[in-house]
Amino acid sequence: MSRWARMLLRSKTGTVGFIIVFCVIAVAVFAKVLAPHDPNLINPAMMLKPPFWSEGGTKEYLLGTDNLGRDILSRIIYGSQVSLLVGIAAVVLAGAIGVFVGLIAGYFGGFLDNLLMRIVDSFLAIPTILFALVILSIFGPSVTTLIIVLGITNWVTYARIVRGEVLSIKEREFVKAARSIGVRHSKIIMRHLLPNVVSPFIVISTLSVATTIILEASLSFLGLGIQPPTISWGGILSDGRDYLATSWWLATFPGVAITITVLGIIFLGDWLRDILDPRSVTRK
């Protein structure tokens, strides 16, 4: 058993988080095999059927059906694909921008640092969801647009943290030695600085995926996120909001899926923070 596996098994929250994240990814990958029905198949004869354990429910539709007779379980399974895609892709885009800006600002300092940090401050002054709503209203909601919007609204966190790490690392002896012998700036950044900011980047990225999934669900709930017929957890929530008083399962089960997934990612990110951050004292 590898060292990482042993450390993971020693952490209860880390183990639970890993299992949840692994299961969600497996469900997304094998959605076609796991989904019992076509998620977009409309069946008027089976509209608003409750879960199988409730009166009027049927085992054919384990979690019930929506207002168009579509299977809730199948829609949740397929919705995991888009929600994970948006969450991961947006974080990759935000991380790429933020790490680049943080490395440049921290390493070169001076006027360039001040300019980039003022841009960061400008982004921080604008509420993320408000900025996303404006951009999506202008360009129209789509998966690609949503990924880009969420990416360019979340890069500032990476930029500030990476810049702080670089400001500390560039004063160390090995960086000063590389400078003194005339190593190019690009080589110093790629070989000496970038590897030393990978650990905090991984931790922030893991936790940011959870935040991005919630933000995507919020925008889809407001009607400016993923649009039908593409299925997302936020979209399923939006479809069920008009039936909360009579058909609770329409919004409850996708909400539970979001909650469990986000908790799993947070647990895994918390474990990664304890393992990768050398300043962390707590070991779970």
Side-chain angles (χ1 to χ4, degrees):
M1 186 182 296
S2 69
R3 182 175 67 91
W4 281 82
R6 289 195 298 270
M7 289 189 295
L8 180 62
L9 290 175
R10 284 200 297 265
S11 169
K12 292 180 180 179
T13 56
T15 303
V16 171
F18 176 81
I19 292 172
I20 292 173
V21 171
F22 177 82
C23 289
V24 172
I25 293 174
V27 166
V29 172
F30 299 105
K32 289 185 178 180
V33 177
L34 297 174
H37 300 279
D38 182 343
N40 287 317
L41 179 63
I42 297 174
N43 187 356
M46 302 299 290
M47 292 192 314
L48 298 176
K49 285 289 183 181
F52 75 95
W53 63 82
S54 300
E55 184 178 354
T58 171
K59 291 184 178 179
E60 184 180 359
Y61 300 98
L62 295 177
L63 299 183
T65 60
D66 64 7
N67 57 310
L68 297 177
R70 298 172 297 190
D71 181 40
I72 294 294
L73 176 59
S74 298
R75 290 179 65 76
I76 290 174
I77 290 173
Y78 272 86
S80 64
Q81 294 179 324
V82 174
S83 294
L84 285 179
L85 171 64
V86 172
I88 294 173
V91 166
V92 170
L93 177 60
I97 298 172
V99 169
F100 175 78
V101 171
L103 286 170
I104 298 300
Y107 180 73
F108 290 103
F111 172 77
L112 184 59
D113 182 27
N114 289 329
L115 175 63
L116 292 174
M117 287 303 102
R118 296 301 74 76
I119 295 173
V120 168
D121 292 339
S122 300
F123 271 86
L124 289 173
I126 305 172
T128 300
I129 194 164
L130 178 60
F131 181 81
L133 286 172
V134 171
I135 298 300
L136 289 170
S137 298
I138 295 172
F139 294 100
S142 68
V143 174
T144 303
T145 306
L146 188 60
I147 290 172
I148 294 173
V149 168
L150 294 178
I152 63 176
T153 54
N154 292 321
W155 65 271
V156 292
T157 303
Y158 299 91
R160 291 180 70 91
I161 292 177
V162 169
R163 172 183 175 271
E165 293 289 330
V166 171
L167 287 174
S168 172
I169 296 169
K170 75 175 185 178
E171 299 301 325
R172 296 181 184 176
E173 296 300 325
F174 63 91
V175 177
K176 290 182 178 180
R179 279 180 175 176
S180 66
I181 61 175
V183 177
R184 294 196 305 270
H185 295 311
S186 58
K187 276 193 174 183
I188 294 175
I189 291 173
M190 297 303 296
R191 291 187 179 181
H192 299 295
L193 299 182
L194 183 59
N196 283 283
V197 301
V198 168
S199 294
F201 170 75
I202 292 174
V203 174
I204 301 166
S205 298
T206 305
L207 297 174
S208 293
V209 170
T211 305
T212 306
I213 288 175
I214 294 176
L215 189 54
E216 178 276 320
S218 302
L219 292 169
S220 297
F221 183 80
L222 294 172
L224 286 172
I226 307 300
Q227 299 297 301
T230 306
I231 306 167
S232 73
W233 288 337
I236 304 173
L237 277 173
S238 180
D239 292 339
R241 62 183 169 183
D242 295 329
Y243 299 89
L244 288 174
T246 57
S247 304
W248 55 269
W249 57 91
L250 270 67
T252 299
F253 293 124
V256 169
I258 293 171
T259 302
I260 292 175
T261 301
V262 169
L263 282 175
I265 294 172
I266 290 174
F267 289 161
L268 185 60
D270 186 59
W271 172 74
L272 285 172
R273 182 196 63 201
D274 291 342
I275 296 300
L276 296 175
D277 187 355
R279 294 165 295 186
S280 177
V281 179
T282 305
R283 290 292 182 270
K284 297 181 181 181

